[in-house]
Amino acid sequence: MLLLNVHDVIEIAVEIAASPILLVLCWWGWFHNKLPKWRAMVFLSGVCAGTVNFLLLWMWVIWLQFHYNPGSWRFTDIVSDVGIWLVLYSIAVAILGEGRYRAFLAISGILALLPWLPQGIL
């Protein structure tokens, strides 16, 4: 039987739920923005990178559920490298960009980085 303490449950909930919720807020903000065109496109590219990272993570988790074998973990390096670069791009766009929703994008990127790291942080 798997026993989790409250700290573990909170950590898992933050890693799994907070990033997609913040991405939804970023998409909503992009559709309602008043930024100049080039800044809106830069922000859109960061939101797209965060969304692709989210989809990549969960597609990888589902694939691993049905195709797990000891050699399948070599594929983890490739997938995690792509995911980390997508997350870093979305964080860079949030830092260098302009707009009200870039803080949501930065926090989402930082939280989305946690599942890709091989060592625990929290």
Side-chain angles (χ1 to χ4, degrees):
M1 182 172 164
L2 179 66
L3 295 174
L4 297 172
N5 61 23
V6 175
H7 182 267
D8 292 337
V9 172
I10 292 172
E11 182 179 344
I12 291 169
V14 166
E15 286 183 9
I16 292 174
S19 183
I21 291 170
L22 292 171
L23 277 174
V24 168
L25 289 173
C26 289
W27 276 108
W28 184 81
W30 182 79
F31 284 117
H32 294 92
N33 69 358
K34 304 271 192 273
L35 298 174
K37 186 160 181 71
W38 73 272
R39 291 228 188 240
M41 289 298 124
V42 170
F43 184 75
L44 175 64
S45 70
V47 174
C48 286
T51 304
V52 168
N53 174 60
F54 173 74
L55 294 174
L56 179 70
L57 174 68
W58 285 104
M59 287 189 313
W60 175 70
V61 167
I62 291 169
W63 181 84
L64 224 85
Q65 182 69 30
F66 296 108
H67 298 95
Y68 176 76
N69 63 35
S72 65
W73 287 98
R74 285 182 271 168
F75 188 64
T76 303
D77 293 337
I78 298 168
V79 174
S80 67
D81 288 346
V82 172
I84 287 173
W85 281 109
L86 288 169
V87 168
L88 291 177
Y89 178 76
S90 69
I91 292 171
V93 165
I95 290 171
L96 300 174
E98 183 177 291
R100 294 186 343 202
Y101 295 95
R102 66 189 186 112
F104 291 147
L105 185 59
I107 295 169
S108 172
I110 291 169
L111 291 175
L113 191 62
L114 295 177
W116 293 121
L117 299 176
Q119 293 85 15
I121 290 184
L122 299 177

